[in-house]
Amino acid sequence: MRQRRETASAASKGSIGGEASEESSEGAESRTAVHFGNPRRSSFVWLALLLIIIYCCSSIYHYQFQSMPVPLTADEAGKRGFSEIEAFKHVKALTEVGPHPVGSEALHLAVQYVLTACQNIKKTALWEVDVEVDIFHSKSGANNLGSGLLSGRTLVYSDLNHVVVRILPKYVSEAREQSILVSSHIDTVFSTAGAGDCSSCVGVMLELARGISQWAHGFKRAVIFLFNTGEEEGLNGAHSFITQHPWSKTVRMAIDLEAMGIGGKSSIFQAGPHPWAAENFALVAKYPSGQVIAQDLFASGAIKSATDFQVYKEVAGLSGLDFAFVDNTAVYHTKNDKLELLKTGSLQHLGENMLAFLLHIGASSHIPEGNSTEAEEDIRKNSAIYFDILVNYFWKENLGMYMVVYRQKFANMLHNSVIMQSLLIWTTSLIMGGIPAVVSLALSFLSVLLMWVFALSFSFLVAFLLPFISSSPVPYVSSPLLVVGLFGAPAFLGALIGQHLGFLLLQKYLLNAHSKRRQLPLIIKAAVVKMEAERWLFKAGSFQWLILLILGNYFKIGSSYLALVWLVSPAFAYGFFEATLTSERLPKPLKLITLILGLATPILFSAGIFIRLAATLIGGMVRFDRNPGGTPEWLGGFVIAAFIASLLSLTLVYLLSYVHLSGAKKAIILATLMLFASSLAIVLSGVVPPFSEDIARAVNVVHVVDATGKPDEGQNPKSYLSLFSTTPGNLNKEVQEINESFVCGRDKTVDFVTFLVKYGCWAYNDTVSGWSEMDIPTMHVLSDAEGNGRLTEVSIDTKGSIRWVLAINTEEIEDFELKDARDSEELISVGKKNGVDGWHIIQFSGGKNAPKLFDLTLYWRSGSTHKSDTPILKLRTDVDRLTPITERVLRKLPRWCSLFGKSTSPYTFAFLRNLYVNF
C-alpha cells in the first residue's frame, strides 16, 4: 500500500480513480516535459478511424437486420421442416386477389383460400395427430380498449368470418384443455393487396400448421392457428375470437404475427407480461431477433399503432410474444406493400424460428398460466429484458445471432450495483480533489450540455429551412442516407463546437487552478492543463450515461441496458489504460486504444439498433401528419433532427474529447461542411426525388358528399372531390400532374370525424354523378324527453354502408347505448365511456350482412349547456365505390403517389352528416 501511494499517477487533485496526488518534484517535471505537446493524431489517423467506425456500424446493421437465411424448398425442408418456397405460394395467392378489406368480395375469396389450405393440411396430417378446422362466424360485438391508440373509442363489428385450426395429439386427452394460440389477420386495408401486412404472416402460419401437423403427436397441448379478419378495422377479429369462440378458454399463451413494413427479420417487439415465453424463444430459436427498445417505444405511444396482442393481453389476460416485420416501413398500407419488395429469406427466418419455438413449448411440461391473477405484481417486476447481438457470428451457421434475456429483477440488481459503485468512485474522487475537482466536473458537464444545445440548434435550423428551399419538407424519404449529410453533419459540427467551447472554459479554469497550486515551466503548465481538460471531457461522457442509467432504472425502462453498456465499457477502458499506476505523476494524452476498446462493446450492442430506429423513423414520415395540414411542415424534419442530434450527442462524447488536442480539427470541420453541402446540393438539384414508385407519398382521394350544416342553414348536400396527404408538404406538383381543376389551401377544413384535413385540395367539377340523395345516411330524433334526466333516442340509417364512424359529444352526453334496430340486439351497453378531446368515437365495420339501421339512446349530462352551435353527433359513412370523377383522378395519380389506408381513414367515397343539440 505504501508503494502504491508513492507511485500513484495523477494530473491534479480533481482526477478520478486515484489520479489525485501530491505535487511532483521539479526533477520529475523535467523528465516528463518531453511527453507534452499536442498528441500526434493526424487527419489521416482520424479519417481512418472514422471510416473503420462507419464500416463496423454498417456491418453490424447488415448482419443483425439484413442478413437472411437461405430459403428452402419443400424437398430441402422435408416433411417436418419449414419451406419458404411453399409459404411464398400462399402469399402470392392471397395478394393476387387484390386488396381485401372487411366486407369485400375479395376478402371472401381470401378466406376461402385459407380454409381450403387448412383442409388440405388436415388431409395430409400424421395419423397420430388430430387437425380440427373451423370456419368461425362471429356475432356482433364491441371492443372498448381503455389504453393506447384506441383509447376513447368503441369498436363495433358484425358478420366477420375467421378460419380457426386446432392441431393436437390424438391420444393425449388433456391436450384439449391447454393450448397455444398463434394468430394473424387475413384482411388488408383498401389501398393494398398486403403482401407484407399480413399475407406474409398468413403464409408462414399455413406452412407452420403443415409442419406442426407432422410433429404434434409428441405434444402435451394443442396449437391453435387463428386466421382472423377485422384486425385492420380495430383488432376486431382477435376480440371476437377471445370473447365468443369456445376454444379461447383453453388458451394459455398467445403469439401474434404482424407487419409494419414488408419483409426483413421478424423480431419480437412486445413480450410478456410473464417472461417465460421470451426466455424460451431465446433458448431454442435458430435466428433469434428481438429488441426491448421497440417495446419501450410502443408502450410510450411513440409508435402510433396497435396489434391483436393488445387484445390478448388486456381482454384475455394472456402472456406471450408479438412479432413484426419492419423492413421498409415507408410502404406500410400503401400500394408498395407488394410481393416484389418481399425480401428473400424473410419467411424462412420467421418460419424456422417459430417452428423451433412451437415444438419446444408444445412438448413442454409447464406453461405459466397467462390469465392467472396471482402474484401479478411479481410478474410485472420480473418482465423480460431482451436484445440480440452478434457475439458468435463466426461460428453459428449463417447469421450468428444470440439473444440475451434476463428479468427486470436482475436488471434492477445489476443497475443498482453499477450505479452505487459509480457514485462511490465519483464521490471519493471529488472528496480527494476538493473544490477544483467539483468545478472541473461542473465545467466538463457543461461541455456536454453545450454539445446538446449546439447539435440540436444546428440540425433544427436545417430542418426549419428545408421546407422553404426544397420541393418537399421530407426530401430524404426515398433516399434515407441523405439525412447523414442534412442533419448528421450539422449535428456533428454543433457537437464539436459545443464541446470545444466547454473545453476552452475548462482549460481556462484549470490553468488558473494550476497557477495557484504549483510553479511549473510555462510549456509544461499549458500541456498539463490540456491533458487534464481532455481527460475531464472523456469522463463527462461517463457521467452523462450514468445519469441516463439512473433515470432508466428508476422508471424501469427495459432498454436501460444501453446506458449500462455505454457507461461501463468506456469507464473500464479508461481505468485500465489511463488510471493505472506509473512512475509519471503528470498526465499524458489519452491513448487511442482507450477509445477503440472503450467503444467496441457499445457499438456492437447498439449500432444496428440505432440505424434501424433511424430507418423506421424516416419511413414513418410518409404518414407523419395524422391530421393533414395540422402540423407545421418543418415538424417532421425536427423529429428526425432531434433523434440524430441526440444520438450523436450521446455517442460521440467520448470520440470528440480526443479531437481538441489533435491537428485534425480543421480537416474534420471542412469534411463535415463538404458532406452537408453535397447533400444539400443533391436535394436542391432534384437529382434524387423525395419519393419514387416504390417509396410513394401517401395520399387519399375521396369523393365527399357533405350533408352537414346547422338546422337553420338547411342541409343541402355539397359534393366535391377531396385530395389530401398524411405526408408533410403541399400538393401543388401532384395537382398539376392530375390536371382536374383542384384548388389547394387551408381555406377549407374537412372534418372526417376521426381526423381533420386542414390543408388539402378540392374540386367540384363532375362530382354530381355516381351517387344520389338516397345514398345519404340519415339521423332522426325519435324522442327527446325530460324526466330524472334528459334522454334522447336517435335512429341512424347508414343507407347500405357497412363501415362508418360516429362521434358523440361527451361534453353534452354522459352515456349512450347502441342497438341493432333489426332485432334490438345490444351492441354497446350503458357504462362508463371515456372520450378524447370532447368526443367518443364509435367505429363500425362488418361483412355484407352487417346491420345498417341502428337505435342510439343518449343520456345527457345534468346541467348541460345545450350549445346550439355544437353538434351532438357527427357521422361519416364509407362506401367501397368509385364514382366517375374519382376513377379518373386515380388513373392520373402520379406514380410517386399511393392511396393510404388505415382504420380511421375513409374509402374513396364518403358521406358526412351531423346532428345538432337544438333538435
Side-chain angles (χ1 to χ4, degrees), residues 142 154 156 816-819 825-830 833 842:
T154 301
V156 185
F816 60 87
E817 182 180 29
L818 183 70
K819 293 182 178 180
E825 179 187 1
E826 187 177 71
L827 301 177
I828 303 177
S829 59
V830 174
K833 310 290 195 313
I842 300 174

Side-chain angles (χ1 to χ4, degrees), residues 300-313:
S300 70
I303 299 177
K304 303 293 184 182
S305 187
T307 73
D308 286 338
F309 193 66
Q310 183 177 354
V311 173
Y312 301 138
K313 282 204 306 182

Side-chain angles (χ1 to χ4, degrees), residues 146 208 349 844:
L208 276 174
H349 176 266
F844 181 93

